[in-house]
Amino acid sequence: MKEKVQLHKEAFLYELEEFLKIPSISAVEAHKDDVKKGAEWVAGALENIGMEHVEIIETDGHPIVYGDWLHAEGRPTVLVYGHYDVQPPEPLELWETPPFEPVIRDGKIFARGATDDKGQLFLHIKALELLKKEHGTFPLNVKFCIEGEEEIASPSLGPFIDTNADKLAADAVLVSDTSFIEKGQPAICTSLRGALAMEVEVETANSDLHSGAYGGAVPNAVHVLVRLLDSLHKADGKIAVKGFYEGVPEPTEQLRKEVAEIPFDEEQMKQELGLDALFGESGFTFHEQTGIRPTLEINGVTGGYQGEGIKTIIPKEASAKISCRLVGKQDPQRVYQLIEEHLEEHKPAGAKVSTKQFIQAKPVALDSQNPMIQKAADAYEKVYGVRPLFPKEGGSIPIVEVFARVLDAPVVLMGFGLPTENLHAPNEHFHIDNFEKGIETICEYLQSF
């Protein structure tokens, strides 16, 4: 298949460039029509390779694209998931070339969406196209479910999956929206943490007060907020919220072994981050802390006078943004309630505390020994000459848990990006080498059935 990929490489890259030119930014209302164009492009690409029943399904937000080919009797069905929406490109001044004018240089294609996720989604379309050219048909049954809201937490796709479980039923869900460990070292992620994001607001007096006239005699909203935030953690890095660890499993020996196989150089990490020490929950390694343990992080704090110079006031209000990463059977809504109770219990007299929830997603853990995942590992090894590792990602892809739960099917997180490819940042790019080998690897995987 390598020769076939090389034969069609230039044509494939030209098609990808056309896809990348569409500014399908789901978070910005002004780009709503562009997101629709992205959906139309995907639908056309699926029709061109022979998918049937291709449809653009309208939602309360951006469209979902569906297509299938179900004529391989007695063979498994794979559902391919991806997303055609992208992050906003700002700050524009940091891009070396315009984000929606794709450029190939230094063996990479630069554009917003190149690695997250247009480039990786495109691999599946082209792999199936090559397989059909080679064999005159597809080696197994295929369905596509491609959304335009992943970058805004997939508000429409979850309900769509719930109400269309039969339509989407599959033996495995195939996702390429993750990264290698490093160049040349493939990875199949088998764990994604859940998420909870919220804001805490503290109010005291009905206006800011003069610190000379009232200082020392009335509550200060910033003081209150700082005390509340500090109360959320213990000195050893553990989270002090009562009940927070409900549902957190003890790591098994096999799990810790898989995590320990991921390369890590503490000194290099400190040097790269400009730190003289790392800090986290005691008793766990860096990759355990960032992959299989829950967290509670303060993302931002606002309060008091922020302008130039000094303004001697006692602030009447202050706020903080908080996010949690969750594991095991932790429930985001339950964790939210526990944090609310903790804040209420620890607030001092004279202060009012309110909270607002933004995002919640449940964690998901996948069995690395599942045959569908092991077949993917075989395909990687055949193309790259290296067996993939099975990292536990600290981030969240909320819809993965929904697919796994509703369809009761293994999710194969078969990514081809690199951690250095600036996803969500200026100068996002995708390595051409992984573009080529990614198509080969997906072909090997699908042919294995």
Side-chain angles (χ1 to χ4, degrees), residues 265 281 326 364:
D265 185 326
E281 184 184 6
L326 310 175
V364 60

Side-chain angles (χ1 to χ4, degrees), residues 69-339:
W69 186 90
L70 305 173
H71 302 293
E73 189 175 347
R75 294 185 183 178
T77 299
V78 169
L79 173 67
V80 177
Y81 162 79
H83 64 94
Y84 62 86
D85 65 318
V86 300
Q87 281 275 318
E90 287 81 5
L92 294 174
E93 66 274 11
L94 296 183
W95 284 80
E96 293 183 25
T97 52
F100 297 106
E101 296 179 18
V103 172
I104 295 176
R105 64 176 186 271
D106 303 324
K108 308 162 193 172
I109 184 166
F110 287 79
R112 172 57 87 228
T115 191
D116 181 24
D117 176 47
K118 287 180 177 178
Q120 296 202 58
L121 163 61
F122 187 73
L123 302 180
H124 294 273
I125 299 173
K126 294 298 109 177
L128 283 162
E129 179 180 323
L130 288 183
L131 287 172
K132 190 173 185 184
K133 285 180 178 177
E134 180 82 4
H135 304 294
T137 188
F138 298 114
L140 76 175
N141 301 296
V142 184
K143 298 178 181 181
F144 279 86
C145 180
I146 312 301
E147 69 162 322
E149 296 182 331
E150 194 274 346
E151 301 293 3
I152 53 173
S154 305
S156 302
L157 187 56
F160 177 79
I161 296 170
D162 283 332
T163 56
N164 290 274
D166 290 340
K167 182 188 187 86
L168 300 173
D171 296 291
V173 181
L174 186 54
V175 181
S176 293
D177 194 16
T178 51
S179 298
F180 280 26
I181 301 295
E182 58 190 11
K183 189 174 183 179
Q185 177 56 69
I188 301 175
C189 172
T190 54
S191 176
L192 291 161
R193 293 194 288 190
L196 167 68
M198 60 187 291
E199 184 172 17
V200 179
E201 291 191 359
V202 171
E203 293 181 295
T204 50
N206 57 13
S207 70
D208 292 343
L209 300 173
H210 190 289
S211 67
Y214 293 94
V218 298
N220 181 315
V222 174
H223 290 184
V224 171
L225 180 64
V226 170
R227 286 175 59 185
L228 286 174
L229 296 178
D230 186 56
S231 74
L232 295 170
H233 290 86
K234 299 178 182 179
D236 63 359
K238 292 190 182 299
I239 295 154
V241 176
K242 185 178 179 181
F244 183 87
Y245 289 97
E246 291 174 5
V248 177
E250 280 298 313
T252 64
E253 184 178 336
Q254 174 64 25
L255 181 61
R256 297 192 94 156
K257 179 177 180 292
E258 287 184 0
V259 174
E261 289 173 347
I262 309 302
F264 179 66
D265 185 326
E266 181 172 338
E267 291 306 314
Q268 181 180 340
M269 175 69 71
K270 289 190 292 188
Q271 184 176 353
E272 288 176 353
L273 300 180
L275 295 170
D276 57 19
L278 302 179
F279 176 78
E281 184 184 6
S282 62
F284 297 93
T285 67
F286 175 86
H287 282 308
E288 289 172 344
Q289 291 165 346
T290 59
I292 64 172
R293 296 297 293 171
T295 66
L296 188 159
E297 296 290 350
I298 299 162
N299 309 123
V301 177
T302 302
Y305 178 64
Q306 303 292 323
E308 185 178 353
I310 187 74
K311 185 179 182 183
T312 54
I313 58 165
I314 299 170
K316 76 180 186 76
E317 59 188 4
S319 65
K321 311 276 190 184
I322 293 174
S323 66
C324 300
R325 299 292 179 171
L326 310 175
V327 302
K329 296 189 179 301
Q330 283 183 296
D331 179 71
Q333 187 61 35
R334 172 63 174 158
V335 172
Y336 179 68
Q337 293 168 352
L338 292 170
I339 294 173

